[in-house]
Amino acid sequence: MIDPVSAMAAVSAAVKMIKKASATVDDVASLGPLIGKYFDAKHDAVKAVRDAKKGGGSNMAKAIELELALKAQKDFEEQLKGLFFSSNNMDIWNNIQKRVAEMNAEDKAEAEREKVREKKRKIRQQELNEIFLALGLAAVLIIFFAWGFMELIEQCRSGATKCRW
């Protein structure tokens, strides 16, 4: 797990690289790899901050850290959007937004499918546990009755008990 400070530093570094590169390039498309690195770093940073929250600490501190980071990233993304619009590539920006929405929907659907698979796996495991418990109990009962029957036969043979069969 990456620590939040390192993750935020990676985001800041990606922002600086994009700003430097955007000043020297004519085509927004050439920024694609850098923009991709930025969004990967942003995703890692948000996840790191949320994971760090799970480790304990002040809710207020984590909330402030997360919200300030998200605000800074939102501001930068607005600048990035402006780059696309100023270079007359708003259709590309809109297509990117559509693709992101589609990918997010697919991620959500896959997470739901995974939950269903996990739930079914747990149910199957529970059923198997119950079957093995029932078989074990049946085996114990069969052994108990067989032992009792053998004892009865032994008593009948020795004449200790009056048997009528």
Side-chain angles (χ1 to χ4, degrees):
M1 178 172 78
I2 188 169
D3 69 293
V5 175
S6 298
M8 296 307 289
V11 172
S12 296
V15 168
K16 286 177 187 174
M17 284 193 308
I18 291 171
K19 286 183 178 182
K20 275 185 183 178
S22 68
T24 61
V25 298
D26 295 331
D27 186 18
V28 177
S30 61
L31 295 175
L34 294 175
I35 294 170
K37 287 181 184 179
Y38 160 75
F39 281 102
D40 285 342
K42 177 188 170 193
H43 177 269
D44 293 344
V46 171
K47 187 175 187 296
V49 170
R50 287 188 179 143
D51 288 347
K53 166 63 181 104
K54 293 177 187 172
S58 164
N59 286 340
M60 180 61 90
K62 298 303 175 188
I64 289 171
E65 187 177 358
L66 181 59
E67 290 306 317
L68 290 175
L70 290 173
K71 171 71 171 117
Q73 301 323 307
K74 184 165 179 53
D75 292 346
F76 174 71
E77 288 171 24
E78 284 300 317
Q79 293 173 2
L80 191 59
K81 180 180 174 182
L83 278 175
F84 278 88
F85 278 52
S86 67
S87 63
N88 202 23
N89 288 309
M90 54 210 107
D91 57 330
I92 294 173
W93 180 260
N94 291 332
N95 289 340
I96 289 170
Q97 295 303 313
K98 286 178 190 173
R99 185 162 322 266
V100 167
E102 291 169 0
M103 294 167 84
N104 286 343
E106 179 56 35
D107 288 349
K108 185 177 179 180
E110 179 58 32
E112 288 299 318
R113 287 190 293 267
E114 183 60 33
K115 282 182 185 177
V116 168
R117 283 192 293 267
E118 182 63 21
K119 187 175 181 180
K120 286 181 180 179
R121 187 195 67 74
K122 285 182 179 180
I123 289 171
R124 274 192 306 247
Q125 185 63 45
Q126 181 65 29
E127 288 172 349
L128 283 174
N129 290 345
E130 290 170 0
I131 288 170
F132 286 129
L133 179 64
L135 288 174
L137 184 58
V140 167
L141 287 174
I142 289 170
I143 291 170
F144 177 73
F145 285 120
W147 176 75
F149 186 68
M150 295 299 282
E151 285 294 316
L152 182 62
I153 290 175
E154 187 63 34
Q155 286 179 3
C156 286
R157 284 187 185 164
S158 68
T161 315
K162 193 173 184 183
C163 300
R164 296 187 208 173
W165 36 31

